[in-house]
Amino acid sequence: MQIAVSILALLIQAPAGYEGWTYEERIVIPTVDERELVYYLDRPGEGTRVPLLIMVDGSGCVGQLRPGSRYHYRPGPDRPLPYARLMVEKPGVEADAGHGAACSADFLKYYTIDQRVIDHLRVLQHLRSDADWWNGELLVWGWSDGGDVATQLIAYYPDVTRAVLGAMGGGFTMAEHFEDFWICPPGQFESADSRDACLADLRAQFTEMEDNPTWTQTWSGEANSWRVWPTRLRSRLTHLLQDNTTPVLIVHGAEDHDKTPVESARVLVSELESAGNDAFEYWEIPGMRHGWRSLPADQQTALETGMLDWLLGLPVAEDGPPDFGLPATAPAHNEP
């Protein structure tokens, strides 16, 4: 059965100065496994060619047009330069689904890190053949799970211009996060034998999920199926980023401990420096937890502005965006 490409442009008024642009254009294309893959575009009309910014969302069965995501980096006259914006929808998720929405069977069945990478590559393939408004420049922004997906995307897609990789750790694997920071951390057991027992039980759970990656069971949250965990547990992004030549900005909260330990990002930075890779810059944000919404409003705006300016190749303060100097415990790495 052949699934035709379908396009639905939502009737959203373009802001002044962006007449002729289409906003939240919903496009459906077939995948190699005959699923329907949905993505949303904000793009210019005929005769204008601009860079493309991909926004790669984090975990959870939440939609790309939910209130907290819908306007994030939406192009318009309030941005310093014009660009198009792309958001690839997660499988089995409604566009406006917010946090707390029930996860569908299709989401649990098809949401994995690997599949998200492949889905983004499929959309890019489609756009290369179809998007006459795209000038060939590709910018990538990803956060948390999306940072992992974005890291793999820039490794496997040859023409990424610049990328921001946020809150994804990368130096330790997710399995090590659980073992050493969350469930069996050293120093919190009465004896070595007690910790060994904790590790043995935890690793047995990992093995069970890896040997039986079913979508009908979940672990550590109802949005996390046994199918997705094997694609997260062994992910060590150091291996990809050591070979990376695309300019990337790595952003992590200094107070991120419960979601992705900041120590993981520090290890990644240290290992990249040891490998002699200078294609990255690191911002460790004082006071920030897993997301920038944990910051005061003015600092949220400063960080969002700084990340976008960096993506667009515009000048940014030497120590990162305003009011975000790095603490002495986390040395900065800046592009030469």
Side-chain angles (χ1 to χ4, degrees):
M1 177 181 67
Q2 183 176 8
I3 303 175
V5 174
S6 64
I7 299 175
L8 175 62
L10 302 184
L11 298 178
I12 295 177
Q13 183 69 38
Y18 269 57
E19 291 81 4
W21 280 62
T22 299
Y23 280 81
E24 294 182 11
E25 181 178 27
R26 182 181 186 270
I27 303 176
V28 185
I29 61 174
T31 62
V32 69
D33 57 354
E34 297 190 324
R35 289 179 297 113
E36 288 190 344
L37 179 57
V38 177
Y39 65 92
Y40 305 100
L41 273 175
D42 303 321
R43 61 169 180 83
E46 293 183 10
T48 302
R49 290 169 61 83
V50 296
L52 175 62
L53 169 59
I54 300 180
M55 305 294 296
V56 190
D57 199 9
S59 61
C61 46
V62 290
Q64 302 310 290
L65 301 184
R66 67 188 186 275
S69 177
R70 188 172 199 161
Y71 301 105
H72 190 206
Y73 291 158
R74 173 180 280 190
D78 57 331
R79 305 302 182 191
L81 294 172
Y83 56 85
R85 183 184 66 162
L86 165 67
M87 296 183 291
V88 179
E89 192 55 272
K90 297 170 183 175
V93 173
E94 295 297 324
D96 60 353
H99 292 283
C103 298
S104 69
D106 277 351
F107 173 83
L108 295 172
K109 187 173 184 178
Y110 293 111
Y111 182 83
T112 68
I113 300 299
D114 297 348
Q115 190 62 62
R116 285 290 280 167
V117 174
I118 293 170
D119 284 353
H120 280 80
L121 290 171
R122 168 68 179 114
V123 171
L124 285 171
Q125 183 217 14
H126 176 69
L127 289 175
R128 283 177 70 97
S129 70
D130 188 65
D132 57 3
W133 44 263
W134 184 12
N135 70 1
E137 294 181 51
L138 181 60
L139 311 172
V140 179
W141 183 97
W143 202 266
S144 194
D145 256 14
D148 194 327
V149 172
T151 299
Q152 296 188 51
L153 186 61
I154 67 174
Y156 308 143
Y157 189 85
D159 299 320
V160 178
T161 307
R162 292 169 80 86
V164 170
L165 309 174
M168 82 298 181
F172 295 132
T173 66
M174 183 69 80
E176 290 168 337
H177 294 169
F178 280 106
E179 291 177 2
D180 296 333
F181 294 91
W182 297 333
I183 294 182
C184 306
Q188 295 191 18
F189 293 87
E190 294 182 356
S191 67
D193 288 344
S194 297
R195 182 167 190 259
D196 288 344
C198 178
L199 289 171
D201 178 69
L202 181 60
R203 289 168 181 171
Q205 294 179 65
F206 293 161
T207 298
E208 187 174 12
M209 289 187 287
E210 290 171 322
D211 290 348
N212 183 32
T214 177
W215 57 274
T216 61
Q217 297 194 65
T218 60
W219 185 80
S220 190
E222 64 178 17
N224 300 315
S225 72
W226 283 23
R227 181 159 291 181
V228 70
W229 279 117
T231 68
R232 287 187 183 130
L233 287 173
R234 310 301 172 186
S235 180
R236 194 184 306 278
L237 300 180
T238 307
H239 303 313
L240 293 183
L241 290 175
Q242 281 178 338
D243 294 331
N244 170 64
T245 57
T246 296
V248 298
L249 170 62
I250 300 169
V251 182
H252 211 100
E255 301 304 321
D256 190 353
H257 303 293
D258 296 336
K259 300 296 185 181
T260 305
V262 64
E263 291 85 353
S264 186
R266 292 172 182 170
V267 167
L268 172 65
V269 168
S270 176
E271 292 186 353
L272 292 180
E273 290 178 330
S274 295
N277 186 297
D278 60 3
F280 76 97
E281 187 170 341
Y282 179 52
W283 293 353
E284 185 172 299
I285 310 302
M288 188 173 84
R289 297 190 292 274
H290 193 59
W292 62 92
R293 302 303 181 201
S294 60
L295 295 169
D298 59 337
Q299 293 184 342
Q300 292 179 31
T301 300
L303 178 57
E304 287 187 273
T305 300
M307 289 190 292
L308 182 60
D309 286 349
W310 190 95
L311 268 177
L312 295 174
L314 299 174
V316 180
E318 291 183 0
D319 59 347
D323 301 322
F324 287 102
L326 302 177
T329 55
H333 179 104
N334 294 293
E335 291 180 310

